[in-house]
Amino acid sequence: MENISHKNKKLYIFIIITVLIIIISGYSWIGKSAIQKNYIIFQEAQQLEKNKEYSKAIGKYEEAATKGDPASLVALGNIYYYGKIVSQDYTKALGYFEKAAKHKNAEGYKNLGVMHQSGFGTTVNLKKAYDSYLMAAKLGNSEAEFNLASMYMSGFGASQDFKEAMKWFEKSAAQGNSNAMCQIAYIKGIGLDGSKGNMKLAMEWYKKAAELKNSEAMVTLGNMYWMSYGVKQDYNEAFKWYKKAESLDSQEAICNIGLMYENGFGVEKNISKALSFYKKAADMGDSVAQNHYMRLKTQ
């Protein structure tokens, strides 16, 4: 048999490489096609759930889930976790979240963290909770970043480290998490991270959170203006922030509005209105407002 010429060798190598590229491209196309099909099924399931056709929706989620669709696995986990359309089953929820996590799904990891931290469907395991949050956080999940930061903040599940907490709160805040913004405000306000306390900077962060409709931030701003925390006392500004928070059904804000009417802070004193706001907050479950209402009513 004659030796293959150098020119032919190059040709054979070229052909082999071309065939391999075609094969790899084919597998890649098949993979993308499967993902697209799963996404279509997932969207159909979401629409069915929105239309309250729950049995059909679960069927569609399961169809995509059996094909390895992580979004559908998470959706099924949430359905069993919250138990709004099926009987609540934390064990099933945990199983779906674990399967989603195996597909490197951030939401799946985050939800696993919540379950391991709370002990729902499993025993409390803070190490597993931390590890799950960390995996989700590394994948950019804002809630996981917040939960991880909270562990460092409290020392519950991680060694207390305010600087590390700040790092993760900042990552979460960068994605628009208003709760993280509130925590940054608190840390910066009193200098928990080793920095000099800066109430002006704290107020800036609370205002950023308030712009995102965070009622806690609104109430805190109201308190700062009322009690003169890092800012000149201004009852009118305090009242303004409490009213904004009231529109978001903040019990604390509603109770504080009652206090302002009772004492005439920033508004004309009006006992009838004070009672009305106390009752409104009390009916929502606020025990402080309940005490104020009973006290004022018996005077």
Side-chain angles (χ1 to χ4, degrees):
M1 187 175 185
E2 295 182 6
N3 292 330
I4 299 172
S5 68
H6 180 67
K7 185 176 181 181
N8 286 340
K9 279 184 179 180
K10 284 187 175 181
L11 178 60
Y12 291 148
I13 291 170
F14 174 77
I15 291 170
I16 290 169
I17 292 172
T18 302
V19 170
L20 286 172
I21 290 172
I22 292 171
I23 292 171
I24 292 168
S25 298
Y27 280 122
S28 176
W29 180 85
I30 291 169
K32 288 179 181 178
S33 178
I35 291 170
Q36 289 171 346
K37 287 178 181 177
N38 283 339
Y39 181 66
I40 292 170
I41 297 169
F42 174 75
Q43 285 185 311
E44 290 174 355
Q46 283 191 310
Q47 188 59 49
L48 287 166
E49 186 176 354
K50 186 178 179 181
N51 295 340
K52 298 183 178 180
E53 296 181 67
Y54 299 127
S55 294
K56 290 182 180 179
I58 291 172
K60 282 292 182 180
Y61 283 133
E62 288 175 342
E63 181 183 344
T66 55
K67 297 175 182 177
D69 179 54
S72 294
L73 288 165
V74 169
L76 286 166
N78 286 332
I79 285 171
Y80 284 102
Y81 180 87
Y82 292 106
K84 291 181 179 179
I85 61 178
V86 295
S87 297
Q88 194 171 54
D89 190 328
Y90 290 132
T91 302
K92 280 189 177 180
L94 182 70
Y96 281 118
F97 294 145
E98 286 175 338
K99 288 178 181 178
K102 286 179 180 178
H103 289 280
K104 307 299 181 186
N105 180 272
E107 191 72 11
Y109 276 123
K110 185 266 293 181
N111 290 348
L112 269 183
V114 171
M115 299 196 79
H116 284 302
Q117 186 173 9
S118 64
F120 292 156
T122 184
T123 55
V124 172
N125 189 320
L126 296 181
K127 175 66 168 58
K128 285 186 177 180
Y130 176 91
D131 290 343
S132 296
Y133 288 145
L134 183 60
M135 288 297 294
K138 286 181 176 179
L139 291 169
N141 185 281
S142 173
E143 290 180 57
E145 291 167 345
F146 179 85
N147 292 346
L148 197 61
S150 298
M151 282 185 153
Y152 281 112
M153 180 88 164
S154 66
F156 187 68
S159 297
Q160 193 171 56
D161 187 330
F162 295 120
K163 288 184 178 179
E164 193 68 15
M166 185 60 130
K167 181 185 84 173
W168 289 106
F169 279 137
E170 286 177 337
K171 286 179 180 289
S172 184
Q175 295 194 65
N177 189 319
S178 62
N179 290 323
M181 294 174 190
C182 287
Q183 292 300 316
I184 292 172
Y186 178 73
I187 291 171
K188 287 297 184 184
I190 60 178
L192 270 180
D193 60 342
S195 62
K196 187 177 180 180
N198 188 329
M199 295 301 289
K200 183 179 178 181
L201 182 58
M203 181 166 278
E204 289 175 7
W205 276 104
Y206 280 128
K207 284 183 176 179
K208 286 181 182 180
E211 287 171 3
L212 294 172
K213 307 297 182 184
N214 186 294
S215 62
E216 179 191 342
M218 293 172 182
V219 170
T220 303
L221 285 166
N223 292 343
M224 291 176 80
Y225 279 109
W226 187 352
M227 304 298 177
S228 187
Y229 292 150
V231 66
K232 185 178 178 181
Q233 191 173 57
D234 189 329
Y235 292 132
N236 291 327
E237 274 295 303
F239 187 81
K240 180 190 82 173
W241 285 110
Y242 290 146
K243 289 296 288 183
K244 285 178 180 287
E246 181 201 2
S247 69
L248 297 173
D249 293 327
S250 168
Q251 297 174 24
E252 185 179 353
I254 296 167
C255 179
N256 287 351
I257 292 170
L259 280 168
M260 298 191 86
Y261 273 116
E262 181 183 356
N263 296 284
F265 295 152
V267 292
E268 186 177 344
K269 186 173 181 177
N270 189 318
I271 299 302
S272 177
K273 283 188 175 181
L275 280 167
S276 176
F277 278 102
Y278 286 149
K279 187 176 188 307
K280 181 179 178 181
D283 289 344
M284 295 169 72
D286 190 283
S287 59
V288 174
Q290 175 69 33
N291 291 335
H292 284 311
Y293 178 75
M294 295 305 295
R295 170 185 57 78
L296 195 58
K297 190 177 181 181
T298 53
Q299 284 183 0

